[in-house]
Amino acid sequence: MKVLDIPARHIRDALKDYENASRCFGKSQKPRSPATVNRQKASIGSMFKYAHVQGYVTKNPAHSVAYRPENNNIVRWLDDDERTRLLAACEASE
């Protein structure tokens, strides 16, 4: 298929396959994270952007493919030194 004939539907399907594809020599593993799939989509979009700037395509089909929602919640615990400093700062404050 020529680059200028690639529709957004093919990009969506490729990203879905990428998300669910096995990552380690055929071993069954969990799907790729939404953040990883979004980076792949951004890469595809960059290639189409370059192709558009160079005049190879008239539009970027990746623009109509939605990014996956990402969970940016990070659970973080204070280490012993941070906890000690935090409690000391609390005691010193009014």
Side-chain angles (χ1 to χ4, degrees):
M1 177 178 285
K2 293 180 181 179
V3 170
L4 62 110
D5 295 333
I6 296 175
R9 174 177 43 88
H10 282 15
I11 295 171
R12 271 190 292 279
D13 291 345
L15 289 173
K16 188 171 188 171
D17 290 344
Y18 177 73
E19 179 177 23
N20 296 315
S22 175
R23 295 181 281 172
C24 188
F25 304 107
K27 292 181 183 177
S28 178
Q29 294 191 2
K30 64 182 181 178
R32 288 182 171 93
S33 72
T36 301
V37 177
N38 286 342
R39 299 316 162 266
Q40 184 74 1
K41 185 223 181 263
S43 179
I44 293 168
S46 293
M47 289 186 284
F48 274 102
K49 181 179 179 181
Y50 176 80
H52 183 261
V53 168
Q54 296 299 315
Y56 301 130
V57 296
T58 58
K59 67 177 185 165
N60 182 344
H63 280 287
S64 60
V65 177
Y67 280 99
R68 285 157 171 73
E70 295 182 30
N71 178 359
N72 293 324
N73 296 333
I74 297 173
V75 177
R76 185 178 177 286
W77 304 95
L78 298 176
D79 62 30
D80 289 338
D81 182 52
E82 291 172 320
R83 182 177 45 82
T84 302
R85 288 184 290 140
L86 175 63
L87 292 174
C90 289
E91 288 177 8
S93 72
E94 295 179 15

